[in-house]
Amino acid sequence: MQRYEYKVVPAPQKGIKAKGEKTAEGRFAASVEQVLNQMGQDGWEYQRAELLPSEERAGLTGSTVNWRNVLVFRREAEDTNASSQIPPEADESVSQAKPIPGPDAVEAPAPIAEEAKEPPLSLKGAERKTESGEEPQS
């Protein structure tokens, strides 16, 4: 089964200056032709032009729908899955992953010696103490 990859590019909005083209339609056609030829050089086959909605932000909270013209191209995808279709048992040249030996028994960490204390609801009147439990000198 053939697989394809697709590329969608924005259609030109303006015509370009081209030798022998004096009308706006001729210049626009030359700009579309240029895009088609550039994509064709890279192996992309032209499929169709589409007019699609694009929701975009307008201002701080609003949005608006703009219609965009795009050109759709396709080409055959390089078959990178050919090697993965062969079962690994059939191909001995490919090394297989093996489990790493580890300890036979894993010990759980020791429990915390002291229970967690609830934080005070207010810091007013709370005595400040240093880590050693002594009152700080003011």
Side-chain angles (χ1 to χ4, degrees):
M1 182 171 123
Q2 289 183 337
R3 296 185 182 259
Y4 295 99
E5 60 181 331
Y6 292 86
K7 185 165 187 131
V8 179
V9 298
Q13 294 182 354
K14 289 183 175 181
I16 58 170
K17 290 184 180 180
K19 189 175 184 180
E21 296 298 337
K22 296 187 182 191
T23 64
E25 293 85 6
R27 289 181 180 153
F28 181 75
S31 65
V32 173
E33 181 180 332
Q34 182 182 21
V35 171
L36 294 175
N37 286 332
Q38 285 174 348
M39 297 299 292
Q41 288 175 353
D42 294 335
W44 294 99
E45 177 186 359
Y46 173 74
Q47 293 295 299
R48 65 186 171 274
E50 293 284 342
L51 178 64
L52 299 171
S54 172
E55 187 173 331
E56 299 171 5
R57 290 181 62 177
L60 294 175
T61 59
S63 65
T64 183
V65 174
N66 289 324
W67 291 86
R68 305 284 182 197
N69 288 305
V70 294
L71 304 174
V72 181
F73 296 87
R74 81 171 183 183
R75 68 179 174 191
E76 273 192 58
E78 295 174 6
D79 196 7
T80 56
N81 296 334
S83 61
S84 65
Q85 292 175 354
I86 301 171
E89 303 84 46
D91 189 7
E92 278 108 29
S93 66
V94 177
S95 62
Q96 299 295 314
K98 295 183 176 145
I100 299 173
D104 293 332
V106 176
E107 295 180 22
I112 298 174
E114 190 176 314
E115 287 189 28
K117 296 179 183 173
E118 291 292 321
L121 296 177
S122 173
L123 295 178
K124 288 185 180 178
E127 295 178 5
R128 292 196 276 165
K129 295 186 178 181
T130 61
E131 289 180 17
S132 62
E134 299 174 4
E135 298 254 349
Q137 296 175 352
S138 299

